[in-house]
Amino acid sequence: GRRGVEERMVNVDNVVRDPVHGDIPLTNEELRILDTPEMQRLRNIRQLGTAYLVYPGAQHSRFEHSVGTAHLTSKLICAINGERDSGGSGYGGFDDHEERVVRIASLVHDATHLPFGHNIEDQTGLLPRHDVPERFCSLFSADTELGRVLRSLGVHDEVLGILAPGALPESKQVPEYWRSLVSGTIDADMLDYLARDAMFTGLKLHYDPRIFSMFRVERRTQRLYIELTSHGYLKEALLSELLRCLEARYYFSERVYYHHAKISSGALIAKAVEIALTEGGLDFETLQKSTDAGLISDLTKMELDDADAVARLRMFIDAYTSRRLPKRAAVYPAYANRQSQADLIARFFGAGSSQARREVEDRLTNSLEAQTGIRSQVLLYCPAGNMQLKSARMLVHWPGQDELSPLNDFRDQVPRLSDLEQAYQRMWKFYVLIMSDDVQQINALSGLCAQEFSNSVNLLRA
């Protein structure tokens, strides 16, 4: 069998103590990467964005998550190679160079994240997502210290190939199983953040370490998968463990990632950033270098030509820093809005949506003022349509099947999986929020929403 990660890795002169995984060995090369300004910035970007306003312990950063992901990458590689070395003729694995490259990719996989990342990217509709190739190309360019270190280590192209395959020509593509270990479905990234988010939110949730032993690389196709077959039949215990991991992810989505107070607080940040971007007080390059606290500070002090825009910007940031969160005036869940969900997403989510969203927000704000005599800002929040459904696309070897298939191909045989997919879809909700806790204002806005979104069903009851 293989020796432990600590013994086997070359040049391990450094050990970091991590509250989740214990001692994590790092090479000198990896320390050089972590010591760049681009990676140190991640110490000041919270992993869960505004969730600390709901779970006060959720102060952990993307920096320690990055280190933890590299550690779990080696843990997975160790298990995969152990299966290969114990005589699995159809199994592939990783040599030392491949482990070195995939670990480095794991370390830098979140380097492009903005402060309060997903909220700002998704809810302003004005920025490219953190995982698009251009963002990685820019951050790994010769103009950054991180880019220069990756080049000096000779791993720039391979790391880019793992994290942003679209940035490289066909001739420079890396094997698919390298990518799947870091940015697959159940991967080192997810296994770290589930354990880390559980610890720092205080939610009692664990997956069994046995999950690490389930991974294989199919030598013939060079793909990562999970082995669910033993002597021709289904290993129910392993399938159950796999589902428990996916259920854990759902549980966190429900309790943390889509908690209504996290959504309300994230909407405040997104609106402030949207104003700053639209009025020219902030640009993407500045955002890419910002930290959570740095961005709030910049927004607090920002001067813009438009006095009204400054007033609105201040209102959103003051509300955020004093935790006066917008209240829900109307909520449109997917399960009650099958007919209108696609239209709401097309109008109000992602790239190009900011104009339409602002028009509706302003119209509702003005109508409410005309009706009540009080001006209370209205905000819309529209989440992505797919709601994390990629989580069941993990390749598995199912009994009786010669070829690998995504797990969700077998949803008919696995009722829990089908239930989970439907639960994710039911979690989608379109929110109309208001900067007021006055019941009359909230009720009046609810009435206006019935006219504005007449094709949709609001299930919120006072």
Side-chain angles (χ1 to χ4, degrees), residues 401-438:
Q401 303 283 324
D402 292 332
E403 296 297 324
L404 304 178
S405 304
L407 177 63
N408 51 8
D409 281 7
F410 305 101
R411 61 171 73 83
D412 291 347
Q413 292 104 302
V414 189
R416 278 166 69 192
L417 185 59
S418 197
D419 291 346
L420 198 56
E421 289 192 331
Q422 289 169 27
Y424 265 118
Q425 289 165 330
R426 284 195 301 272
M427 211 182 342
W428 187 94
K429 296 178 183 71
F430 176 74
Y431 289 90
V432 180
L433 306 166
I434 179 172
M435 301 283 288
S436 169
D437 53 10
D438 182 280

Side-chain angles (χ1 to χ4, degrees), residues 17-21 46-48 51-62 64-65 192-206 252 256:
R17 172 51 69 98
D18 179 67
V20 180
H21 306 302
R46 291 184 188 89
Q47 176 74 16
L48 292 178
Y52 73 97
L53 294 173
V54 184
Y55 297 95
Q59 299 282 355
H60 56 303
S61 77
R62 291 199 176 271
E64 56 261 36
H65 163 61
D192 181 79
Y193 73 63
L194 281 181
R196 199 168 295 281
D197 293 353
M199 174 174 279
F200 289 101
T201 54
L203 293 172
K204 300 292 177 248
L205 186 123
H206 304 282
F252 269 108
V256 182

Side-chain angles (χ1 to χ4, degrees), residues 26 107 161 165 227 256 309 355 379 395 414 430 447 456:
L26 294 167
L107 271 187
E227 180 60 77
V256 182
Q355 185 69 34
L379 300 87
L395 288 176
V414 189
F430 176 74
S456 302

Side-chain angles (χ1 to χ4, degrees), residues 1-258:
R2 292 282 297 267
R3 287 174 292 162
V5 173
E6 290 82 354
E7 298 174 67
R8 196 191 55 73
M9 279 180 51
V10 291
N11 302 326
V12 177
D13 296 323
N14 318 281
V15 175
V16 172
R17 172 51 69 98
D18 179 67
V20 180
H21 306 302
D23 283 348
I24 295 181
L26 294 167
T27 66
N28 287 331
E29 288 183 344
E30 289 163 352
L31 270 201
R32 280 183 64 194
I33 289 165
L34 289 173
D35 284 345
T36 62
E38 292 77 20
M39 291 302 295
Q40 289 295 311
R41 181 184 75 96
L42 298 182
R43 289 183 186 275
N44 298 300
I45 296 183
R46 291 184 188 89
Q47 176 74 16
L48 292 178
T50 64
Y52 73 97
L53 294 173
V54 184
Y55 297 95
Q59 299 282 355
H60 56 303
S61 77
R62 291 199 176 271
F63 181 86
E64 56 261 36
H65 163 61
S66 301
V67 174
T69 302
H71 180 62
L72 294 191
T73 294
S74 277
K75 199 168 176 180
L76 285 168
I77 286 173
C78 218
I80 289 165
N81 286 353
E83 291 297 327
R84 177 200 63 190
D85 297 345
S86 62
S89 60
Y91 298 147
F94 294 79
D95 64 25
D96 285 351
H97 168 72
E98 291 171 332
E99 179 173 4
R100 170 180 173 248
V101 170
V102 179
R103 272 180 64 96
I104 289 173
S106 302
L107 271 187
V108 302
H109 80 281
D110 268 355
T112 54
H113 264 283
L114 304 177
F116 310 104
H118 296 295
N119 271 113
I120 289 179
E121 290 163 4
D122 293 343
Q123 297 309 315
T124 63
L126 297 169
L127 298 165
R129 277 186 55 84
H130 68 279
D131 49 8
V132 297
E134 296 74 27
R135 296 266 295 268
F136 282 106
C137 288
S138 173
L139 201 67
F140 295 170
S141 75
D143 297 332
T144 68
E145 191 172 328
L146 176 57
R148 291 191 289 274
V149 171
L150 291 174
R151 281 171 168 74
S152 74
L153 298 176
V155 298
H156 173 272
D157 285 3
E158 287 169 306
V159 168
L160 200 56
I162 291 170
L163 300 177
L168 294 176
E170 192 63 40
S171 59
K172 287 192 171 183
Q173 293 295 338
V174 302
E176 189 178 329
Y177 68 99
W178 292 16
R179 292 202 297 270
S180 302
L181 212 56
V182 185
S183 54
T185 44
I186 294 182
D187 53 18
D189 176 32
M190 176 180 167
L191 291 170
D192 181 79
Y193 73 63
L194 281 181
R196 199 168 295 281
D197 293 353
M199 174 174 279
F200 289 101
T201 54
L203 293 172
K204 300 292 177 248
L205 186 123
H206 304 282
Y207 55 79
D208 195 297
R210 187 181 185 188
I211 195 143
F212 290 95
S213 67
M214 296 161 57
F215 286 79
R216 309 280 187 276
V217 169
E218 185 177 52
R219 181 172 290 168
R220 180 172 58 85
T221 61
Q222 300 283 283
R223 290 185 300 172
L224 186 73
Y225 71 101
I226 283 181
E227 180 60 77
L228 292 178
T229 302
S230 177
H231 305 294
Y233 64 86
L234 179 67
K235 296 163 88 166
E236 276 96 353
L238 291 189
L239 175 61
S240 203
E241 198 49 56
L242 185 55
L243 290 169
R244 200 151 72 114
C245 226
L246 296 177
E247 284 164 351
R249 192 160 179 261
Y250 171 78
Y251 176 77
F252 269 108
S253 297
E254 185 179 62
R255 294 286 300 274
V256 182
Y257 311 143
Y258 293 104

Side-chain angles (χ1 to χ4, degrees), residues 270-284:
K271 290 306 297 181
V273 169
E274 181 182 281
I275 293 167
L277 286 167
T278 308
E279 298 295 325
L282 187 63
D283 59 30
F284 174 69

Side-chain angles (χ1 to χ4, degrees), residues 359-378 434 441 444-449 451-452:
E359 284 172 7
V360 175
E361 287 170 345
D362 290 347
R363 183 159 61 242
L364 287 170
T365 301
N366 293 335
S367 299
L368 186 64
E369 185 179 19
Q371 189 173 316
T372 65
I374 301 168
R375 188 164 185 83
S376 298
Q377 180 67 44
V378 176
I434 179 172
Q441 287 276 97
L445 176 56
S446 181
L448 290 169
C449 288
Q451 299 164 35
E452 182 67 44

